[in-house]
Amino acid sequence: MQVPLIQLQCGVNSYDWGKVGKESAAAKYAAATESNQFSIDNEKPYAELWMGTHPSLPSKDVETQRSLLDLIQDNQALMSPKISEKFGEKLPFLFKILSIRKALSIQAHPNKKLAEQLHAKDPKNYPDDNHKPEMTIAVTPFDGLCGFRPLKEITHFLATVPSLRKLIGENAAKEFEEAVSGRETSASLEDTQRNKKALQAAFSALVTKDKSVIATAAKELVATAEKEGENFAGGGGPSNGGKELADLVVRLNGQFEGDVGLFVLFYLNYVKLEVGEAMFLKADDIHAYLSGDIIECMASSDNVVRAGFTPKFQDIPTLTSMLTYSYAPISDQKMNPADYPYVTLNRTAYSSSSSAILYDPPIEEFSVVKTELNDKGAKATFEPINGPSVIICTAGSGSISVGSKTKQMKEGNVFFVGATAECILESDSESFTTFKAFCELSGKESASDAS
């Protein structure tokens, strides 16, 4: 059997929200693989680098040009029989680099049951039948809208942003305020269900408004933001200052003038991630990424239900009915990475404060390890796991070894490592950074066993 180390040729998508030309990490990484025959057009936006077996943009073996999906289906040992059986002989995760210049759509991804229904009914807009929980790790500073704010913050904005209150209507605003008053942080099941129902009604009252009405209200909103600055929205809520929100409204209006998303942001947490910070989004969680370069790992799906900041197909009835309407501060979605215990660092790695950090979401399909080797000769030896891995270098250079096979690895290079293979990373520069996505259903690395 061949050594299970395969260098991958990965495709890049050109969407309007992507960074342009060489400003895009996704484009730079795609161009780093010599056999890719890909050259960067400095006038073109490049949004996503895809690493995996999803049929929309499948990765290939650099040497043979066969798709990774073909190789996996021909040799189940690359995945492990258990994972092949559970996930249908395809990689259970999709690994991506996103380079975000302007806002992505306000969106959510359906759970497994809904995905099956949507795909059967509308395969053009919902191309597969899988769910899409996802994890985001910042490679550069990132900002986005993620999950519904605590209810007290939404109530605050209904009281301090007149154009928002006018747009959803006085009756809808009062009904929301009265329904949640005194129960905003209650942990009782009855109160939580009542609050979610009230939030659904208030959110639906906004996103179902006629576009011309929204556009008129948006002009008033933007004018107020420009005029009031730090006093905008009553000086802001506990999570965001008035000037921060005013600047955000003006910035997003410059990208999507008069869009409903300018008002949706008062319902959602506005979050900033520093490099290395991460968050996890369950299926049915609402979000919109706004700017930055990120590592994204998700279940292998391309289903998106949209409702703003996009010229693409929007399915507002599905979105308003599918959301969980969970409300919480953004701290509840941020992840707490931990040292990865199943790697051995050599003396050079230890003495240079090298590290291997595990991001472990509460699902089976994937986890991610970030490895930083901070000196020449620093080495990390990963114990074999009973599942597949995909590894990308995001900074510096070094080598990757599996069995008797060693390959040079530089920024943008991507490798697949088969199941049950020991993997060694060694730096030949002063900083060698990699991210490894992997899946193992049971044993020491199982997400289901994580605390």
Side-chain angles (χ1 to χ4, degrees):
M1 177 184 150
Q2 73 174 111
V3 176
L5 177 65
I6 301 167
Q7 185 171 4
L8 298 179
Q9 177 179 313
C10 302
V12 62
N13 280 324
S14 177
Y15 301 140
D16 184 57
W17 52 261
K19 291 187 177 181
V20 176
K22 292 178 181 177
E23 292 295 310
S24 169
K28 286 193 298 182
Y29 294 165
T33 302
E34 292 80 357
S35 68
N36 220 355
Q37 299 180 333
F38 168 74
S39 59
I40 298 174
D41 180 341
N42 283 321
E43 303 298 317
K44 189 174 180 179
Y46 296 99
E48 299 180 337
L49 181 79
W50 284 29
M51 300 167 277
T53 57
H54 195 283
S56 295
L57 196 61
S59 300
K60 298 178 181 178
D61 179 353
V62 163
E63 293 181 5
T64 67
Q65 289 297 295
R66 292 183 67 193
S67 74
L68 180 59
L69 181 61
D70 283 347
L71 296 171
I72 284 170
Q73 290 179 340
D74 277 358
N75 184 358
Q76 284 194 17
L78 290 171
M79 290 270 285
S80 87
K82 183 183 273 188
I83 289 176
S84 290
E85 181 182 352
K86 183 172 180 67
F87 295 108
E89 298 182 355
K90 59 190 176 187
L91 209 61
F93 56 82
L94 179 57
F95 206 22
K96 293 184 183 181
I97 299 288
L98 271 62
S99 293
I100 306 162
R101 176 179 55 90
K102 69 179 202 177
L104 279 71
S105 59
I106 295 166
Q107 61 184 257
H109 308 297
N111 60 43
K112 187 75 171 79
K113 183 177 179 182
L114 179 59
E116 291 170 352
Q117 294 170 355
L118 292 173
H119 177 63
K121 184 177 72 173
D122 185 1
K124 180 187 175 194
N125 289 304
Y126 301 104
D128 58 69
D129 62 359
N130 202 14
H131 67 164
K132 192 181 174 185
E134 62 189 30
M135 178 170 65
T136 296
I137 306 170
V139 176
T140 63
F142 161 90
D143 68 340
L145 304 171
C146 302
F148 286 103
R149 294 176 179 271
L151 299 180
K152 282 187 178 180
E153 293 190 27
I154 299 173
T155 301
H156 168 82
F157 291 130
L158 285 173
T160 58
V161 182
S163 53
L164 171 64
R165 191 178 189 94
K166 190 192 304 182
L167 183 57
I168 75 164
E170 184 63 27
N171 287 342
K174 277 187 174 178
E175 285 174 9
F176 174 76
E177 290 163 342
E178 291 170 2
V180 304
S181 179
R183 304 180 183 85
E184 295 95 337
T185 58
S186 172
S188 86
L189 180 61
E190 182 181 351
D191 286 343
T192 301
Q193 289 176 336
R194 177 173 173 163
N195 287 346
K196 286 183 177 183
K197 187 175 179 182
L199 180 55
Q200 180 176 11
F203 181 71
S204 299
L206 170 64
V207 295
T208 56
K209 291 294 182 190
D210 185 86
K211 286 188 177 182
S212 63
V213 176
I214 294 169
T216 300
K219 288 180 181 178
E220 180 184 339
L221 176 70
V222 173
T224 305
E226 290 174 334
K227 178 183 176 183
E228 294 185 351
E230 64 183 23
N231 295 318
F232 178 66
S239 304
N240 310 114
K243 187 174 190 312
E244 183 178 44
L245 289 169
D247 290 348
L248 182 61
V249 166
V250 173
R251 171 183 143 202
L252 293 175
N253 188 64
Q255 297 175 9
F256 293 95
E257 185 176 358
D259 193 271
V260 69
L262 303 177
F263 294 96
V264 170
L265 69 86
F266 295 106
Y267 286 76
L268 305 185
N269 289 299
Y270 176 53
V271 58
K272 294 181 177 180
L273 297 181
E274 297 302 322
V275 175
E277 286 192 302
M279 61 185 179
F280 175 67
L281 296 165
K282 300 185 294 293
D284 300 334
D285 276 352
I286 189 169
H287 58 283
Y289 297 160
L290 301 180
S291 71
D293 294 297
I294 59 174
I295 290 274
E296 192 178 48
C297 198
M298 63 200 68
S300 187
S301 171
D302 197 28
N303 287 323
V304 183
V305 185
R306 303 177 186 89
F309 290 154
T310 182
K312 295 181 180 179
F313 171 71
Q314 298 185 35
D315 190 349
I316 290 170
T318 296
L319 186 80
T320 55
S321 64
M322 69 181 272
L323 296 175
T324 62
Y325 293 97
S326 296
Y327 47 90
I330 194 59
S331 56
D332 284 14
Q333 285 179 311
K334 282 190 178 182
M335 300 185 69
N336 296 306
D339 288 339
Y340 180 64
Y342 305 111
V343 62
T344 301
L345 302 179
N346 69 356
R347 184 173 296 178
T348 304
Y350 273 116
S351 63
S352 59
S353 300
S354 299
S355 61
I357 303 296
L358 174 66
Y359 300 86
D360 198 10
I363 57 170
E364 290 184 318
E365 282 91 342
F366 61 84
S367 299
V368 172
V369 175
K370 178 185 181 183
T371 305
E372 292 183 297
L373 299 177
N374 297 325
D375 200 357
K376 292 179 181 178
K379 185 187 293 187
T381 302
F382 289 87
E383 296 178 21
I385 63 170
N386 195 27
S389 304
V390 173
I391 306 175
I392 182 170
C393 171
T394 58
S397 62
S399 63
I400 181 170
S401 301
V402 173
S404 60
K405 196 171 184 179
T406 297
K407 290 281 194 178
Q408 291 305 114
M409 196 173 193
K410 64 180 182 179
E411 185 177 357
N413 288 164
V414 183
F415 287 85
F416 173 86
V417 177
T420 69
E422 180 184 79
C423 177
I424 301 171
L425 298 173
E426 184 170 358
S427 178
D428 64 13
S429 60
E430 292 183 356
S431 178
F432 179 37
T433 303
T434 63
F435 288 84
K436 176 178 85 160
F438 66 87
C439 175
E440 187 176 47
L441 291 179
S442 61
K444 59 196 176 188
E445 288 181 309
S446 172
S448 62
D449 292 341
S451 57

